[in-house]
Every structure is written in structure tokens, then in C-alpha cells.
Amino acid sequence: MPRADSMTTAERRAASSLAAVFAFRMLGLFMVLPVLATYGQGLAGATPLLIGMAIGAYGLTQAFLQIPFGMLSDRIGRKPVIVGGLVLFALGGLLASQAETIYGVIAGRVLQGAGAIAAAVMALVADLTREQHRTKAMAMIGMSIGTSFAVAMVAGPVIAGLGGLTAVFQVTAGLAVLGLVLVLWVVPSPQQALRHREAGVVRAAFWPTLRNPELLRLNYGIAVLHAILMAVFIAVPLALQERAGLPPEEHWWVYLAALLVSFFAMVPFIIYAERQRQMKRVVLGAIMLLALVQPLFWLSVDSLGWLVTAVVLFFIGFNLLEATLPSLLSKLAPAGSKGTAMGVYSTCQFAGAALGGVLGGAVFGAFGLTGVFVCCALLALSWWVIGVTMGEPPYVTSYRLPLPLALVRDEALPRRILAVPGVAEAVVVAEEAAAYLKVDTQVLDREALDRVIDPA
């Protein structure tokens, strides 16, 4: 089992620098959300539908290219794929910054999304860290994503207030260049690219993952969550400006307050979900909150105080789901298929963002703010209806254990591992000389597992 030693200097450098690369890229993507609906109206040819397309356009190319780029990194190396992706992202930001029409911004956002490096970054983390520290390194990246979202919600309106959309996109390009500097001169180069089923897509696991009903529910949910996010960011900035009378350059404090309150409000629910093993109840409650907050948006559009309250409640539900769904996926994904399940999950997430931008823009153009909020409520309710049918997830943790070569071909090994108390699933992958396990840490007999893996 994982040892309790500390991360090496190289591991800490790899984890922190890759977390920063991820954060810079996501910061560039997120900064546009709170400002494009308001400032985009000044672009030539802008319509609600096209503004919605600009908001969600990055998700389309991201969804198509994320898994292929991850597989490409297995062939040509992680760093070339990451460098290429960051160059595309920077070029997309520069293209959008020079655009005078909404079509130019859409093209820039599409190009930004083509820099789909998430899978390659995760695979590089696996290459550069040992088994016992990989979860810690992945957690650092997860925290960097959450932090970048919070910073973007505040920075976007501030930067746009100073220099408009041009400045926002110029900053996103600059962040991509900073990421390039880190990848080329700070991130260590791996000695070899590992085939790691917890971090990468495995062809053999792809179709079983797509047919898994529990994972299908989860994939539908993450698509709906990000569709709602994009649609809300078409309606809420306009409501703040046009109905509540808050200038766009002052929207930052609304998002800052909402994110701070939502962060502290969601922590007790996350603890309750994990420690009391009530994940299903918490997830369904957060989905229902997303549905119920939509009528509040509609009723409060003319009152700044109530509108801010609705934004706070929305972010409580959104951030709670954004934090718990990856944990739910880890519990539901079969042993040895977590990387594949995460790849499909992320693809659905970005596809949902693309759909949400288009749908939100189209509905706003036809039915106004009310139509967007009704549409988001219906999406959330459809997810809740599907979510009710899921079972309580198994409360298990994924492990990858290197195996002695003498045990790799032992056909009885999976059976002996499964006989250890607390082990729910076990898959031995001979070509990796490793076993992938799903274990209940509360009842796992670690000493018995160690004896099976290392009889000596």
C-alpha cells in the first residue's frame, strides 16, 4: 500500500508547476464568462444567439479533441502536446482580442478550445509522481482549477472595465505564454511515458464505460451542469446591468461575495456526504437547489439585493456539484477504468458548455431573461429525475499497486486480492505489472493486502 514518505523536490516542482499551467489556462477560459454577455453587445453583428455561441464555443473543440490529444501524448510525448495546445490557446486569445465582430470572437474561442491539454497534463502528472503521491498531486490540480474559477469571476469584470474585451483576451494569451514558460523550463521531463489507467484513456475500456448506466447518469449530469452555467452567464450579467442597474465594471464584487459565501457554505455538505456516506442525498439536494434558484432569478431581476442572493445560492449549488461529481465518478468507475471514465466525463462537460451557450443565447433572443431561467430550471429538473434512479454509490477508493514480476502471470492473484477484507474490485494488468483496486478504506486489511502482493 502507499507509503507515508514525503514528496521529493522534483515531485513537488512537477505537481505545483503543472497545477499552475492548468490554472493559467482555465483562468483564461473562465475570465470571459462574466463579461462577454455585456461587453459583447458592442461587437459588430452581435446577436443573443451569437454571443451565446461565443461563450460556449471553446467547449465544442475541447470536447472533440481532449481524448484524441490525450492518446496522441501516449505516442509523441506529453510535453509536445501540451506545448502545442498552449500555443493554440494563445493564438485564439490573440485572434479574439483583435476581433471587431462577434464572428472573430467566436473563431478565437474555437481556437482556444482546440488547445485541449487536460488529458495530457494529467498523464504527465502520473509520469512524474510516484503512486503514493499521485492523489496529492491530482488534488493540487483540482484546487488550482477551483481557484482559477474564483479569480476569473473577479478579474474578468475588472480587466474588462479597464480595457474592454480586447484586454481580457490579451490577458488570456499572456497567461498561455506563462504556461509555456513553465512547461519548457520548469516542469521536469519524464524519463518515460507511462500507460496509466487511472490517468489516461484505454481503448478496451471505452465502450464499457459508455454503456455503464451509473456513469451515463453522471455524464448527463455534468453536461447539464455546465450547460446551465453558460446559460446563466448570458442572463445574469445582463440582469445585473439592465434590470438591477449595476455597471458591468462593478459586477466583480457580486461574484466575489457569491464565491466566498458558497465556498464556506458547501464545506459542511461535502464532509457530510463523505463521512456519513450520503453522497446521493447531497447531490440530489444540490441539483434541486439549482432548479429552485431559477424562479428566484426571475422574481428578483429588478432588485439588486435579491439578485445577489440568488447568485449566491446558485454558486452554492454549482460549486457543491462541481466538487462532489468527480468524487462520485471515482467511486463509480470500474477498477482500471477511471482515466477512461474521466475522459468521457470531461468530454460531456465541454459538450454541455457548448450546448448551453447556444441554447441560452437562442432562448434569450426569443423569450428574454424569463425564458433562460425557465430553460435552466427544466434542465436541472430533468437531471434530478434521472438522478433519483441512481443507487447509493460504493464508498471506495482507487489504488494502483505495482506488482513483482513473479506475480504478474499468476492467474490466481486477482482472486487472492479480492479475498482481502475491504477490497471490492481488482484488475491485474500484466503489461503494466500493476493491479488496479477499488477498496473500502474503513475496513481494508492493509497488512493482509501487503502479504498478498509481497509474500516475502
Side-chain angles (χ1 to χ4, degrees), residues 114-140:
I117 62 172
V121 170
M122 292 300 188
L124 185 54
V125 171
D127 293 342
L128 294 172
T129 55
R130 291 168 292 164
E131 299 288 344
Q132 62 266 37
H133 299 303
R134 198 156 293 140
T135 300
K136 190 186 305 181
M138 297 293 188
M140 291 173 66

mmCIF file of all heavy atoms in Angstrom, residues 114-140:
data_model
loop_
_atom_site.group_PDB
_atom_site.id
_atom_site.type_symbol
_atom_site.label_atom_id
_atom_site.label_comp_id
_atom_site.label_asym_id
_atom_site.label_seq_id
_atom_site.Cartn_x
_atom_site.Cartn_y
_atom_site.Cartn_z
ATOM 1 N N ALA A 114 -9.401 24.426 -28.945
ATOM 2 C CA ALA A 114 -8.600 23.409 -29.628
ATOM 3 C C ALA A 114 -7.330 23.076 -28.854
ATOM 4 O O ALA A 114 -6.730 22.014 -29.079
ATOM 5 C CB ALA A 114 -8.253 23.879 -31.042
ATOM 6 N N GLY A 115 -6.928 23.948 -27.951
ATOM 7 C CA GLY A 115 -5.772 23.644 -27.099
ATOM 8 C C GLY A 115 -6.169 22.749 -25.948
ATOM 9 O O GLY A 115 -6.060 23.115 -24.774
ATOM 10 N N ALA A 116 -6.646 21.558 -26.266
ATOM 11 C CA ALA A 116 -7.216 20.638 -25.265
ATOM 12 C C ALA A 116 -6.104 19.818 -24.616
ATOM 13 O O ALA A 116 -5.756 18.739 -25.096
ATOM 14 C CB ALA A 116 -8.246 19.728 -25.920
ATOM 15 N N ILE A 117 -5.559 20.318 -23.531
ATOM 16 C CA ILE A 117 -4.375 19.690 -22.930
ATOM 17 C C ILE A 117 -4.654 18.994 -21.607
ATOM 18 O O ILE A 117 -3.727 18.462 -20.994
ATOM 19 C CB ILE A 117 -3.262 20.734 -22.710
ATOM 20 C CG1 ILE A 117 -3.735 21.829 -21.727
ATOM 21 C CG2 ILE A 117 -2.836 21.349 -24.043
ATOM 22 C CD1 ILE A 117 -2.644 22.778 -21.300
ATOM 23 N N ALA A 118 -5.906 18.977 -21.177
ATOM 24 C CA ALA A 118 -6.190 18.459 -19.829
ATOM 25 C C ALA A 118 -5.726 17.013 -19.668
ATOM 26 O O ALA A 118 -5.070 16.668 -18.669
ATOM 27 C CB ALA A 118 -7.687 18.575 -19.534
ATOM 28 N N ALA A 119 -6.054 16.157 -20.630
ATOM 29 C CA ALA A 119 -5.686 14.746 -20.511
ATOM 30 C C ALA A 119 -4.172 14.572 -20.517
ATOM 31 O O ALA A 119 -3.627 13.753 -19.775
ATOM 32 C CB ALA A 119 -6.322 13.953 -21.643
ATOM 33 N N ALA A 120 -3.486 15.342 -21.367
ATOM 34 C CA ALA A 120 -2.029 15.235 -21.424
ATOM 35 C C ALA A 120 -1.382 15.716 -20.134
ATOM 36 O O ALA A 120 -0.385 15.131 -19.672
ATOM 37 C CB ALA A 120 -1.500 16.040 -22.616
ATOM 38 N N VAL A 121 -1.931 16.762 -19.533
ATOM 39 C CA VAL A 121 -1.386 17.251 -18.254
ATOM 40 C C VAL A 121 -1.560 16.200 -17.163
ATOM 41 O O VAL A 121 -0.627 15.922 -16.392
ATOM 42 C CB VAL A 121 -2.057 18.577 -17.849
ATOM 43 C CG1 VAL A 121 -1.671 18.960 -16.425
ATOM 44 C CG2 VAL A 121 -1.658 19.693 -18.805
ATOM 45 N N MET A 122 -2.743 15.603 -17.090
ATOM 46 C CA MET A 122 -2.981 14.569 -16.081
ATOM 47 C C MET A 122 -2.051 13.373 -16.282
ATOM 48 O O MET A 122 -1.524 12.799 -15.320
ATOM 49 C CB MET A 122 -4.440 14.113 -16.137
ATOM 50 C CG MET A 122 -5.440 15.165 -15.699
ATOM 51 S SD MET A 122 -5.186 15.699 -13.991
ATOM 52 C CE MET A 122 -6.645 16.709 -13.739
ATOM 53 N N ALA A 123 -1.828 13.002 -17.546
ATOM 54 C CA ALA A 123 -0.925 11.890 -17.822
ATOM 55 C C ALA A 123 0.506 12.243 -17.430
ATOM 56 O O ALA A 123 1.254 11.391 -16.921
ATOM 57 C CB ALA A 123 -0.993 11.525 -19.303
ATOM 58 N N LEU A 124 0.912 13.498 -17.646
ATOM 59 C CA LEU A 124 2.256 13.916 -17.268
ATOM 60 C C LEU A 124 2.429 13.910 -15.747
ATOM 61 O O LEU A 124 3.508 13.561 -15.242
ATOM 62 C CB LEU A 124 2.547 15.310 -17.834
ATOM 63 C CG LEU A 124 3.966 15.854 -17.624
ATOM 64 C CD1 LEU A 124 5.012 14.874 -18.148
ATOM 65 C CD2 LEU A 124 4.118 17.226 -18.292
ATOM 66 N N VAL A 125 1.382 14.278 -15.033
ATOM 67 C CA VAL A 125 1.437 14.177 -13.571
ATOM 68 C C VAL A 125 1.703 12.736 -13.147
ATOM 69 O O VAL A 125 2.514 12.467 -12.260
ATOM 70 C CB VAL A 125 0.120 14.682 -12.929
ATOM 71 C CG1 VAL A 125 0.091 14.384 -11.432
ATOM 72 C CG2 VAL A 125 -0.042 16.173 -13.154
ATOM 73 N N ALA A 126 1.006 11.798 -13.805
ATOM 74 C CA ALA A 126 1.221 10.381 -13.489
ATOM 75 C C ALA A 126 2.638 9.945 -13.815
ATOM 76 O O ALA A 126 3.228 9.121 -13.097
ATOM 77 C CB ALA A 126 0.215 9.528 -14.270
ATOM 78 N N ASP A 127 3.219 10.499 -14.887
ATOM 79 C CA ASP A 127 4.588 10.145 -15.261
ATOM 80 C C ASP A 127 5.612 10.643 -14.241
ATOM 81 O O ASP A 127 6.654 10.012 -14.040
ATOM 82 C CB ASP A 127 4.946 10.751 -16.628
ATOM 83 C CG ASP A 127 4.151 10.151 -17.769
ATOM 84 O OD1 ASP A 127 3.577 9.053 -17.587
ATOM 85 O OD2 ASP A 127 4.099 10.778 -18.839
ATOM 86 N N LEU A 128 5.318 11.783 -13.621
ATOM 87 C CA LEU A 128 6.326 12.469 -12.810
ATOM 88 C C LEU A 128 6.168 12.267 -11.310
ATOM 89 O O LEU A 128 6.961 12.809 -10.535
ATOM 90 C CB LEU A 128 6.293 13.979 -13.119
ATOM 91 C CG LEU A 128 6.705 14.378 -14.545
ATOM 92 C CD1 LEU A 128 6.444 15.853 -14.786
ATOM 93 C CD2 LEU A 128 8.178 14.060 -14.776
ATOM 94 N N THR A 129 5.160 11.535 -10.877
ATOM 95 C CA THR A 129 4.958 11.308 -9.445
ATOM 96 C C THR A 129 4.839 9.820 -9.154
ATOM 97 O O THR A 129 4.410 9.042 -10.007
ATOM 98 C CB THR A 129 3.687 12.014 -8.937
ATOM 99 O OG1 THR A 129 2.565 11.597 -9.723
ATOM 100 C CG2 THR A 129 3.814 13.522 -9.027
ATOM 101 N N ARG A 130 5.232 9.444 -7.949
ATOM 102 C CA ARG A 130 5.105 8.053 -7.535
ATOM 103 C C ARG A 130 3.673 7.764 -7.104
ATOM 104 O O ARG A 130 2.889 8.669 -6.834
ATOM 105 C CB ARG A 130 6.070 7.762 -6.379
ATOM 106 C CG ARG A 130 7.549 7.777 -6.783
ATOM 107 C CD ARG A 130 8.438 7.766 -5.551
ATOM 108 N NE ARG A 130 8.320 9.028 -4.815
ATOM 109 C CZ ARG A 130 8.727 9.190 -3.552
ATOM 110 N NH1 ARG A 130 9.239 8.161 -2.882
ATOM 111 N NH2 ARG A 130 8.597 10.354 -2.967
ATOM 112 N N GLU A 131 3.361 6.469 -7.045
ATOM 113 C CA GLU A 131 1.991 6.032 -6.733
ATOM 114 C C GLU A 131 1.454 6.675 -5.469
ATOM 115 O O GLU A 131 0.325 7.158 -5.420
ATOM 116 C CB GLU A 131 1.956 4.501 -6.574
ATOM 117 C CG GLU A 131 2.362 3.735 -7.807
ATOM 118 C CD GLU A 131 1.333 3.791 -8.896
ATOM 119 O OE1 GLU A 131 0.189 4.168 -8.609
ATOM 120 O OE2 GLU A 131 1.670 3.461 -10.042
ATOM 121 N N GLN A 132 2.286 6.698 -4.418
ATOM 122 C CA GLN A 132 1.792 7.146 -3.111
ATOM 123 C C GLN A 132 1.534 8.649 -3.052
ATOM 124 O O GLN A 132 0.907 9.134 -2.106
ATOM 125 C CB GLN A 132 2.764 6.741 -1.995
ATOM 126 C CG GLN A 132 4.166 7.344 -2.100
ATOM 127 C CD GLN A 132 5.116 6.422 -2.816
ATOM 128 O OE1 GLN A 132 4.733 5.748 -3.761
ATOM 129 N NE2 GLN A 132 6.352 6.365 -2.345
ATOM 130 N N HIS A 133 2.012 9.402 -4.055
ATOM 131 C CA HIS A 133 1.811 10.851 -4.040
ATOM 132 C C HIS A 133 0.961 11.348 -5.198
ATOM 133 O O HIS A 133 0.736 12.545 -5.330
ATOM 134 C CB HIS A 133 3.169 11.567 -4.057
ATOM 135 C CG HIS A 133 4.024 11.259 -2.883
ATOM 136 N ND1 HIS A 133 3.615 11.483 -1.585
ATOM 137 C CD2 HIS A 133 5.272 10.713 -2.796
ATOM 138 C CE1 HIS A 133 4.571 11.100 -0.749
ATOM 139 N NE2 HIS A 133 5.577 10.623 -1.454
ATOM 140 N N ARG A 134 0.485 10.429 -6.024
ATOM 141 C CA ARG A 134 -0.252 10.844 -7.213
ATOM 142 C C ARG A 134 -1.580 11.500 -6.864
ATOM 143 O O ARG A 134 -1.968 12.507 -7.461
ATOM 144 C CB ARG A 134 -0.465 9.628 -8.121
ATOM 145 C CG ARG A 134 -0.824 10.008 -9.541
ATOM 146 C CD ARG A 134 -0.448 8.897 -10.477
ATOM 147 N NE ARG A 134 0.992 8.727 -10.550
ATOM 148 C CZ ARG A 134 1.609 7.555 -10.602
ATOM 149 N NH1 ARG A 134 0.890 6.445 -10.578
ATOM 150 N NH2 ARG A 134 2.913 7.486 -10.683
ATOM 151 N N THR A 135 -2.271 10.959 -5.886
ATOM 152 C CA THR A 135 -3.550 11.551 -5.485
ATOM 153 C C THR A 135 -3.350 12.970 -4.964
ATOM 154 O O THR A 135 -4.145 13.877 -5.258
ATOM 155 C CB THR A 135 -4.218 10.691 -4.399
ATOM 156 O OG1 THR A 135 -4.451 9.383 -4.925
ATOM 157 C CG2 THR A 135 -5.545 11.300 -3.968
ATOM 158 N N LYS A 136 -2.269 13.173 -4.220
ATOM 159 C CA LYS A 136 -1.967 14.506 -3.703
ATOM 160 C C LYS A 136 -1.704 15.483 -4.851
ATOM 161 O O LYS A 136 -2.179 16.628 -4.841
ATOM 162 C CB LYS A 136 -0.744 14.424 -2.785
ATOM 163 C CG LYS A 136 -0.460 15.686 -1.988
ATOM 164 C CD LYS A 136 0.857 15.563 -1.217
ATOM 165 C CE LYS A 136 0.873 14.338 -0.323
ATOM 166 N NZ LYS A 136 2.135 14.224 0.444
ATOM 167 N N ALA A 137 -0.951 15.032 -5.857
ATOM 168 C CA ALA A 137 -0.649 15.894 -6.999
ATOM 169 C C ALA A 137 -1.916 16.220 -7.787
ATOM 170 O O ALA A 137 -2.124 17.364 -8.212
ATOM 171 C CB ALA A 137 0.380 15.215 -7.900
ATOM 172 N N MET A 138 -2.782 15.216 -7.985
ATOM 173 C CA MET A 138 -4.044 15.460 -8.680
ATOM 174 C C MET A 138 -4.924 16.437 -7.895
ATOM 175 O O MET A 138 -5.625 17.282 -8.473
ATOM 176 C CB MET A 138 -4.792 14.144 -8.892
ATOM 177 C CG MET A 138 -4.076 13.137 -9.778
ATOM 178 S SD MET A 138 -3.938 13.674 -11.485
ATOM 179 C CE MET A 138 -3.279 12.176 -12.254
ATOM 180 N N ALA A 139 -4.884 16.330 -6.569
ATOM 181 C CA ALA A 139 -5.670 17.243 -5.737
ATOM 182 C C ALA A 139 -5.180 18.682 -5.882
ATOM 183 O O ALA A 139 -5.983 19.628 -5.867
ATOM 184 C CB ALA A 139 -5.605 16.808 -4.272
ATOM 185 N N MET A 140 -3.860 18.856 -6.021
ATOM 186 C CA MET A 140 -3.313 20.203 -6.232
ATOM 187 C C MET A 140 -3.852 20.808 -7.521
ATOM 188 O O MET A 140 -4.198 21.996 -7.572
ATOM 189 C CB MET A 140 -1.781 20.144 -6.255
ATOM 190 C CG MET A 140 -1.144 19.820 -4.924
ATOM 191 S SD MET A 140 0.654 19.570 -5.031
ATOM 192 C CE MET A 140 1.192 21.225 -5.479
#
